Amino acid sequence: MVRLNKNGGPRNLEKIDRMCALFTDLSSKDMKRDLYIVAHVIRIGRMLLNDSKKGPPHLHYRRPYGCAVLSIMDVLQSISEIKEEKDFVLKVYT
């Protein structure tokens, strides 16, 4: 889980090194299947879209905001071709 501020940056800059994941338990059989990285984006805050000052300030709601998907096969193919680190961008659909 990664917490971001309202501008989309990391909430805590000291923890920026921990914004990654390592999957070690995938077998070769798993790698031949259709695997995807799925990101669920959750908005935590007031229920109003414009965050106006109406209503009780202490209530914060957790609700779905968007979703993004990336195929593992696309990642593996591009890594095997280049043999170096590469960034991948996930488009978030709201």
Side-chain angles (χ1 to χ4, degrees), residues 36-42 65-71 88-94:
Y36 298 92
I37 294 175
V38 179
H40 296 273
V41 181
I42 305 294
Y65 182 77
C67 186
V69 179
L70 178 66
S71 172
F88 294 91
V89 178
L90 281 76
K91 183 175 180 181
V92 177
Y93 295 93
T94 57

mmCIF file of all heavy atoms in Angstrom, residues 36-42 65-71 88-94:
data_model
loop_
_atom_site.group_PDB
_atom_site.id
_atom_site.type_symbol
_atom_site.label_atom_id
_atom_site.label_comp_id
_atom_site.label_asym_id
_atom_site.label_seq_id
_atom_site.Cartn_x
_atom_site.Cartn_y
_atom_site.Cartn_z
ATOM 1 N N TYR A 36 -1.461 -10.104 -14.126
ATOM 2 C CA TYR A 36 -1.590 -8.655 -14.188
ATOM 3 C C TYR A 36 -1.291 -8.044 -12.830
ATOM 4 O O TYR A 36 -1.577 -8.636 -11.798
ATOM 5 C CB TYR A 36 -3.017 -8.257 -14.601
ATOM 6 C CG TYR A 36 -3.401 -8.755 -15.961
ATOM 7 C CD1 TYR A 36 -4.037 -9.983 -16.124
ATOM 8 C CD2 TYR A 36 -3.113 -8.009 -17.097
ATOM 9 C CE1 TYR A 36 -4.386 -10.446 -17.373
ATOM 10 C CE2 TYR A 36 -3.458 -8.467 -18.348
ATOM 11 C CZ TYR A 36 -4.097 -9.686 -18.483
ATOM 12 O OH TYR A 36 -4.425 -10.148 -19.723
ATOM 13 N N ILE A 37 -0.719 -6.856 -12.858
ATOM 14 C CA ILE A 37 -0.602 -6.037 -11.653
ATOM 15 C C ILE A 37 -1.812 -5.117 -11.660
ATOM 16 O O ILE A 37 -2.051 -4.407 -12.639
ATOM 17 C CB ILE A 37 0.697 -5.214 -11.657
ATOM 18 C CG1 ILE A 37 1.902 -6.146 -11.578
ATOM 19 C CG2 ILE A 37 0.706 -4.217 -10.513
ATOM 20 C CD1 ILE A 37 3.225 -5.442 -11.704
ATOM 21 N N VAL A 38 -2.589 -5.153 -10.595
ATOM 22 C CA VAL A 38 -3.796 -4.346 -10.501
ATOM 23 C C VAL A 38 -3.633 -3.371 -9.346
ATOM 24 O O VAL A 38 -3.287 -3.765 -8.230
ATOM 25 C CB VAL A 38 -5.043 -5.237 -10.268
ATOM 26 C CG1 VAL A 38 -6.294 -4.392 -10.145
ATOM 27 C CG2 VAL A 38 -5.186 -6.241 -11.386
ATOM 28 N N ALA A 39 -3.864 -2.095 -9.624
ATOM 29 C CA ALA A 39 -3.777 -1.058 -8.596
ATOM 30 C C ALA A 39 -5.163 -0.478 -8.367
ATOM 31 O O ALA A 39 -5.811 -0.017 -9.311
ATOM 32 C CB ALA A 39 -2.814 0.042 -9.027
ATOM 33 N N HIS A 40 -5.607 -0.537 -7.130
ATOM 34 C CA HIS A 40 -6.872 0.081 -6.737
ATOM 35 C C HIS A 40 -6.548 1.401 -6.059
ATOM 36 O O HIS A 40 -5.786 1.426 -5.094
ATOM 37 C CB HIS A 40 -7.639 -0.810 -5.757
ATOM 38 C CG HIS A 40 -8.048 -2.107 -6.340
ATOM 39 N ND1 HIS A 40 -9.225 -2.268 -7.027
ATOM 40 C CD2 HIS A 40 -7.447 -3.310 -6.363
ATOM 41 C CE1 HIS A 40 -9.330 -3.505 -7.434
ATOM 42 N NE2 HIS A 40 -8.247 -4.171 -7.046
ATOM 43 N N VAL A 41 -7.118 2.479 -6.540
ATOM 44 C CA VAL A 41 -6.878 3.798 -5.963
ATOM 45 C C VAL A 41 -8.074 4.153 -5.094
ATOM 46 O O VAL A 41 -9.217 4.182 -5.566
ATOM 47 C CB VAL A 41 -6.670 4.864 -7.068
ATOM 48 C CG1 VAL A 41 -6.398 6.218 -6.450
ATOM 49 C CG2 VAL A 41 -5.543 4.448 -7.987
ATOM 50 N N ILE A 42 -7.788 4.405 -3.822
ATOM 51 C CA ILE A 42 -8.821 4.728 -2.843
ATOM 52 C C ILE A 42 -8.624 6.165 -2.392
ATOM 53 O O ILE A 42 -7.513 6.567 -2.054
ATOM 54 C CB ILE A 42 -8.736 3.785 -1.613
ATOM 55 C CG1 ILE A 42 -8.786 2.327 -2.043
ATOM 56 C CG2 ILE A 42 -9.798 4.113 -0.591
ATOM 57 C CD1 ILE A 42 -10.075 1.888 -2.644
ATOM 58 N N TYR A 65 -11.682 5.347 -6.071
ATOM 59 C CA TYR A 65 -11.443 6.489 -6.940
ATOM 60 C C TYR A 65 -11.086 6.051 -8.360
ATOM 61 O O TYR A 65 -11.519 6.639 -9.321
ATOM 62 C CB TYR A 65 -10.321 7.358 -6.365
ATOM 63 C CG TYR A 65 -10.038 8.586 -7.179
ATOM 64 C CD1 TYR A 65 -10.873 9.686 -7.111
ATOM 65 C CD2 TYR A 65 -8.948 8.631 -8.032
ATOM 66 C CE1 TYR A 65 -10.629 10.815 -7.873
ATOM 67 C CE2 TYR A 65 -8.690 9.754 -8.799
ATOM 68 C CZ TYR A 65 -9.534 10.843 -8.715
ATOM 69 O OH TYR A 65 -9.292 11.950 -9.472
ATOM 70 N N GLY A 66 -10.304 4.990 -8.481
ATOM 71 C CA GLY A 66 -9.911 4.534 -9.811
ATOM 72 C C GLY A 66 -9.224 3.184 -9.761
ATOM 73 O O GLY A 66 -9.030 2.601 -8.696
ATOM 74 N N CYS A 67 -8.849 2.697 -10.940
ATOM 75 C CA CYS A 67 -8.206 1.389 -11.050
ATOM 76 C C CYS A 67 -7.224 1.428 -12.223
ATOM 77 O O CYS A 67 -7.453 2.114 -13.214
ATOM 78 C CB CYS A 67 -9.267 0.329 -11.278
ATOM 79 S SG CYS A 67 -8.644 -1.339 -11.261
ATOM 80 N N ALA A 68 -6.121 0.685 -12.099
ATOM 81 C CA ALA A 68 -5.121 0.600 -13.165
ATOM 82 C C ALA A 68 -4.660 -0.846 -13.292
ATOM 83 O O ALA A 68 -4.621 -1.583 -12.307
ATOM 84 C CB ALA A 68 -3.941 1.504 -12.854
ATOM 85 N N VAL A 69 -4.298 -1.251 -14.507
ATOM 86 C CA VAL A 69 -3.894 -2.627 -14.776
ATOM 87 C C VAL A 69 -2.658 -2.625 -15.676
ATOM 88 O O VAL A 69 -2.557 -1.817 -16.599
ATOM 89 C CB VAL A 69 -5.028 -3.414 -15.469
ATOM 90 C CG1 VAL A 69 -4.597 -4.834 -15.781
ATOM 91 C CG2 VAL A 69 -6.273 -3.429 -14.620
ATOM 92 N N LEU A 70 -1.721 -3.532 -15.390
ATOM 93 C CA LEU A 70 -0.522 -3.700 -16.213
ATOM 94 C C LEU A 70 -0.255 -5.191 -16.371
ATOM 95 O O LEU A 70 -0.222 -5.928 -15.384
ATOM 96 C CB LEU A 70 0.684 -3.012 -15.567
ATOM 97 C CG LEU A 70 2.012 -3.142 -16.285
ATOM 98 C CD1 LEU A 70 1.964 -2.413 -17.623
ATOM 99 C CD2 LEU A 70 3.126 -2.592 -15.429
ATOM 100 N N SER A 71 -0.057 -5.633 -17.605
ATOM 101 C CA SER A 71 0.212 -7.039 -17.880
ATOM 102 C C SER A 71 1.650 -7.376 -17.511
ATOM 103 O O SER A 71 2.586 -6.657 -17.876
ATOM 104 C CB SER A 71 -0.027 -7.332 -19.365
ATOM 105 O OG SER A 71 0.414 -8.627 -19.673
ATOM 106 N N PHE A 88 7.529 1.711 -15.587
ATOM 107 C CA PHE A 88 6.277 1.427 -16.269
ATOM 108 C C PHE A 88 5.204 2.335 -15.707
ATOM 109 O O PHE A 88 5.128 2.551 -14.497
ATOM 110 C CB PHE A 88 5.876 -0.043 -16.080
ATOM 111 C CG PHE A 88 6.826 -0.992 -16.740
ATOM 112 C CD1 PHE A 88 7.896 -1.502 -16.050
ATOM 113 C CD2 PHE A 88 6.648 -1.346 -18.057
ATOM 114 C CE1 PHE A 88 8.787 -2.360 -16.656
ATOM 115 C CE2 PHE A 88 7.527 -2.204 -18.685
ATOM 116 C CZ PHE A 88 8.606 -2.716 -17.977
ATOM 117 N N VAL A 89 4.383 2.857 -16.587
ATOM 118 C CA VAL A 89 3.324 3.780 -16.199
ATOM 119 C C VAL A 89 1.986 3.059 -16.294
ATOM 120 O O VAL A 89 1.695 2.424 -17.302
ATOM 121 C CB VAL A 89 3.322 5.037 -17.105
ATOM 122 C CG1 VAL A 89 2.192 5.959 -16.735
ATOM 123 C CG2 VAL A 89 4.650 5.742 -17.010
ATOM 124 N N LEU A 90 1.208 3.152 -15.232
ATOM 125 C CA LEU A 90 -0.134 2.585 -15.219
ATOM 126 C C LEU A 90 -1.122 3.729 -15.347
ATOM 127 O O LEU A 90 -1.080 4.670 -14.572
ATOM 128 C CB LEU A 90 -0.406 1.836 -13.923
ATOM 129 C CG LEU A 90 0.175 0.448 -13.786
ATOM 130 C CD1 LEU A 90 1.644 0.477 -13.502
ATOM 131 C CD2 LEU A 90 -0.565 -0.307 -12.732
ATOM 132 N N LYS A 91 -1.988 3.665 -16.345
ATOM 133 C CA LYS A 91 -3.017 4.682 -16.510
ATOM 134 C C LYS A 91 -4.172 4.360 -15.573
ATOM 135 O O LYS A 91 -4.717 3.267 -15.611
ATOM 136 C CB LYS A 91 -3.500 4.732 -17.949
ATOM 137 C CG LYS A 91 -4.500 5.819 -18.189
ATOM 138 C CD LYS A 91 -4.865 5.929 -19.649
ATOM 139 C CE LYS A 91 -5.877 7.039 -19.820
ATOM 140 N NZ LYS A 91 -6.288 7.195 -21.206
ATOM 141 N N VAL A 92 -4.524 5.316 -14.725
ATOM 142 C CA VAL A 92 -5.609 5.122 -13.759
ATOM 143 C C VAL A 92 -6.920 5.558 -14.397
ATOM 144 O O VAL A 92 -7.045 6.683 -14.866
ATOM 145 C CB VAL A 92 -5.339 5.925 -12.473
ATOM 146 C CG1 VAL A 92 -6.504 5.785 -11.503
ATOM 147 C CG2 VAL A 92 -4.052 5.471 -11.822
ATOM 148 N N TYR A 93 -7.872 4.651 -14.430
ATOM 149 C CA TYR A 93 -9.204 4.934 -14.951
ATOM 150 C C TYR A 93 -10.129 5.236 -13.780
ATOM 151 O O TYR A 93 -10.262 4.426 -12.869
ATOM 152 C CB TYR A 93 -9.739 3.743 -15.755
ATOM 153 C CG TYR A 93 -8.941 3.476 -16.997
ATOM 154 C CD1 TYR A 93 -7.891 2.576 -16.998
ATOM 155 C CD2 TYR A 93 -9.227 4.173 -18.170
ATOM 156 C CE1 TYR A 93 -7.146 2.341 -18.140
ATOM 157 C CE2 TYR A 93 -8.483 3.951 -19.321
ATOM 158 C CZ TYR A 93 -7.453 3.039 -19.296
ATOM 159 O OH TYR A 93 -6.723 2.819 -20.432
ATOM 160 N N THR A 94 -10.739 6.410 -13.817
ATOM 161 C CA THR A 94 -11.629 6.806 -12.719
ATOM 162 C C THR A 94 -13.063 6.481 -13.051
ATOM 163 O O THR A 94 -13.431 6.338 -14.186
ATOM 164 C CB THR A 94 -11.502 8.308 -12.430
ATOM 165 O OG1 THR A 94 -11.781 9.029 -13.607
ATOM 166 C CG2 THR A 94 -10.136 8.640 -11.933
#
